[in-house]
Structure formats: C-alpha cells, structure tokens
Amino acid sequence: MKHTTVLISGASIAGPALAFWLARYGCDVTVVERAAELRLGGQAVDFKGETHRTVLGRMGLLDEVRARQTGGHDQTIVDEHGRALAVIPGEFTGGEIEITRGDLASLLYEHTRDRCEYVFGDTITSLTEAGDKVHVTFARAAPRSFDIVVGADGIHSNVRRLAYGPEEDYVRFLGHYYALAGLGTHGDAVMYNEPGRMVAIGGPKAPAFFVFKSPQLRYDRYDPEAAKRILREAYRGAKWRVPELLARLDGASDVYLDSISRSEVPAYAKGRVVLLGDAAYGNTLGGFGTGLAVVGAYVLAGELRAAGGDHRAAFAAYESALRGYAKISERGNAGPFLAPPTRGRIAMRNWTFRSPWLLGMLLKLTDKYATGIELKQY
C-alpha cells in the first residue's frame, strides 16, 4: 500500500485510529478536522472484553490506555431529596477500561501526528470521483486528489452528506436529546430522574450530563446559547438540584447539545468513499461507539492491506465483517433507559440495578456484544 493516498475526515477517535494502521501499512494519510484544534472534552468512554483488549494490544496502546484510565466509579441514583435509590456499578458505567474521550483522542493523536498530516480548522466542501482518484475541495485549503476518502466524522458526517445525500435520509432521530455542560460539579457521581428527564453530575473529570425526551428540534448545534435556552425549557419545574444547575449555565462556556440518533446507511462504502465509526454504524450514547470505532478502524485498514489497496474488495470485506458486530449499535436506544418516560419505568430500571441476577445478565449481554467478532491477524 506504499504511497496510497488516503484522506480521513474527523480527528476524534475513529479517524486517528484508522490513521494509525494505514500509516503503519505505508499509506500517505491526511486527516482533516473542522475544529481549530484537537477536541479534548466530552464524557468518559470505555472498552470491554477480549476483542477491544486485543485491538489495543496490537496497536501497542493497551498499557497507555490503562495508565490514563479513570478507574471507573459507581453512580448512585437519588430521589429529589438526595436519598439513594440504587447504585449503578462502575463495571456497568465504565466497562473494563474507562478513559475520558479527550484523553483517548490525545493519545491517538500523539501516536499518529509524526506519521500523518493533520489539517485543523478546515472541512471538505465537495467530493468528485474521477477514474482512480477522488477530487476533493476544501473550505480553506487548495483542492487535492486522493485514492480513498474516509468519513470518520461522526453521526452528523459531512462526508456521508456529500457522498450519499442529506443527513435526514441516513440518520434516525430516537426521540431524545443529551447535553454536556461544564458546571463545576465535583464529588461523588449521582443521577436523578423525573419522567422523561435525567441529570447526572460528579465523577472523575465529568461534565454535567443531561438526557431528556423531546420532539425533534431545530437549532444550531455549535451555538452554546441555543443549547442553554433549550435546557432551561426542557428542565423547567424540575426538582432536586436542577434549579441550581440551570442557574450555573449562565457562566458556562462549554455547553453542547445534540440528539440521540443512529446512522442507517445501505452500504458502508460508495465508490472510493467509505464510512467508519458513528458515520456508518453509530448510535449516540449507545455504549459501544468507541469500541466499534477502534475495531472498525482495525478491520478497515487490515482489509485494505489484505486486498493490496483494491478498495472494492477491501470495502466489501470490511462491511461483511462489521455488519453483524455493529447490530447492537443499530438496534439500541439509550434514551428510554437513561430517562424512562414514567415513574413506573424509572422504578423498574432502578430495580434492575438492585437485583444481582438481572445486573449479572445485563453485564453478560454487553460482554457478548462487545466480543461478537472474529478478529483476523492482518
């Protein structure tokens, strides 16, 4: 694959993970990222099971990921008076290895920046396939051509939009929104529910976390003031510490609001353009996104190498390997679990965590999904 040119859109997790392998296999890799610099915020993410450990081990990063892990933490579900109702164990919330999204992104960047070209503060504006190349234009940089273009740019993928069509044709809204807000909340991790609403605060390096049921909204995802207005309206009249948290929004600069949605594409690739991670099979807050992204990057790069750069054969093999593994992401919806619609459903969810048998079954099920792929040794 020496001198095969690859453009990757997205410098979060999936993109740099793919860049890691492609650079090792001899490709000339360029990563373009809309943000002006590496995004280091966000919630904790996790890895679970032998499959995830194996890929991290083959990357030589397992020990470094473990060294930066948060350690996992229990989360207490409380009522409006702060009384404990149930405890979500750290092994459920944080998997086997929990690390903040920003720390993982930083680690992947550190291991790829000297072997790949990173272009921050720019975005792709058009993709035109002609012969054995994809001609690409950018918002700021001069046009260039590449052998392969990869959309690793999340649930709202720009590459998917340009190559496949409008987002509304390939992303399904799942009836809930989530928000992350740096409100200076520290201490033990606690979670509070009202029907259709959830707030969680505390834990290591974690921003305040909101999930609420809602019709689909129209707003600018990049406007923190719009996010604040929506949160205030969504949590109007809520009890516990919610009024205090909403009051803190005034001074918060890092507030992000997005829908809980999932990608639904008929094929992971179209011509010389291929989708990876959330852009292809993501499910917001599904709990498997990071593992899927890292495993998917390993498989996509490996199949390209096995096919000698033949993108048609490689993309078909990649999709064949990942379709079944990604089914849990395609089927799940974290919204009703995190913010159950009724008090009865809240009580049933809490009971799950008070029952050792039910909790054990839930943990076994998540482990099964996390390891449900046979990894080739490329």
Side-chain angles (χ1 to χ4, degrees), residues 171-183:
V171 175
R172 178 178 294 188
F173 172 60
L174 298 180
H176 293 75
Y177 284 83
Y178 75 96
L180 301 171
L183 302 181

Side-chain angles (χ1 to χ4, degrees), residues 203-281:
K205 303 181 182 179
F209 180 39
F210 301 80
V211 175
F212 59 95
K213 183 175 176 61
S214 170
Q216 196 159 10
L217 305 171
R218 293 189 178 278
Y219 67 100
D220 181 354
R221 290 197 317 276
Y222 302 102
D223 181 2
E225 295 306 315
K228 293 175 186 180
R229 289 194 298 270
I230 291 169
L231 278 175
R232 291 189 185 102
E233 182 61 30
Y235 285 83
R236 185 185 302 275
K239 299 179 180 179
W240 187 56
R241 294 179 58 187
V242 177
E244 167 204 339
L245 298 174
L246 295 180
R248 294 191 187 192
L249 284 174
D250 290 333
S253 58
D254 51 342
V255 180
Y256 180 75
L257 175 78
D258 202 353
S259 64
I260 297 182
S261 301
R262 65 167 167 253
S263 300
E264 296 180 343
V265 293
Y268 294 164
K270 190 172 184 180
R272 290 180 171 271
V273 177
V274 63
L275 303 177
L276 172 66
D278 286 354
Y281 34 79

Side-chain angles (χ1 to χ4, degrees), residues 39-296:
R39 292 172 173 164
L40 299 179
Q43 285 282 93
V45 297
D46 62 82
F47 297 99
K48 52 177 73 72
E50 182 179 358
T51 298
H52 295 175
R53 288 197 310 272
T54 297
V55 173
L56 292 173
R58 290 177 184 176
M59 296 176 81
L61 300 182
L62 182 57
D63 289 342
E64 289 187 73
V65 170
R66 281 178 167 154
R68 301 190 189 197
Q69 66 182 321
T70 65
H73 57 279
D74 294 345
Q75 186 172 52
T76 303
I77 302 172
V78 300
D79 66 13
E80 64 183 89
H81 304 293
R83 295 177 298 209
L85 301 174
V87 175
I88 306 176
E91 61 185 316
F92 182 83
T93 60
E96 182 179 335
I97 306 170
E98 184 184 73
I99 182 173
T100 65
R101 194 211 63 81
D103 282 350
L104 180 60
S106 179
L107 178 62
L108 291 169
Y109 176 67
E110 289 169 12
H111 282 268
T112 54
R113 62 186 175 189
D114 293 334
R115 296 183 293 153
C116 306
E117 176 191 11
Y118 276 85
V119 179
F120 289 97
D122 207 348
T123 187
I124 299 169
T125 54
S126 72
L127 299 169
T128 305
E129 187 168 339
D132 60 354
K133 296 287 184 180
V134 182
H135 184 69
V136 183
T137 61
F138 300 89
R140 297 178 60 185
R144 295 168 63 178
S145 292
F146 298 86
D147 296 313
I148 292 168
V149 175
V150 183
D153 43 357
I155 195 83
H156 302 293
S157 172
N158 180 48
V159 168
R160 187 187 57 226
R161 179 182 61 82
L162 293 170
Y164 287 68
E167 178 174 309
E168 54 266 29
D169 292 345
Y170 300 102
V171 175
R172 178 178 294 188
F173 172 60
L174 298 180
H176 293 75
Y177 284 83
Y178 75 96
L180 301 171
L183 302 181
T185 53
H186 303 288
D188 295 336
V190 292
M191 185 172 90
Y192 170 70
N193 278 107
E194 292 177 358
R197 304 193 285 197
M198 184 277 283
V199 182
I201 59 174
K205 303 181 182 179
F209 180 39
F210 301 80
V211 175
F212 59 95
K213 183 175 176 61
S214 170
Q216 196 159 10
L217 305 171
R218 293 189 178 278
Y219 67 100
D220 181 354
R221 290 197 317 276
Y222 302 102
D223 181 2
E225 295 306 315
K228 293 175 186 180
R229 289 194 298 270
I230 291 169
L231 278 175
R232 291 189 185 102
E233 182 61 30
Y235 285 83
R236 185 185 302 275
K239 299 179 180 179
W240 187 56
R241 294 179 58 187
V242 177
E244 167 204 339
L245 298 174
L246 295 180
R248 294 191 187 192
L249 284 174
D250 290 333
S253 58
D254 51 342
V255 180
Y256 180 75
L257 175 78
D258 202 353
S259 64
I260 297 182
S261 301
R262 65 167 167 253
S263 300
E264 296 180 343
V265 293
Y268 294 164
K270 190 172 184 180
R272 290 180 171 271
V273 177
V274 63
L275 303 177
L276 172 66
D278 286 354
Y281 34 79
N283 182 337
T284 320
L285 304 185
F288 292 87
T290 302
L292 279 171
V294 172
V295 173

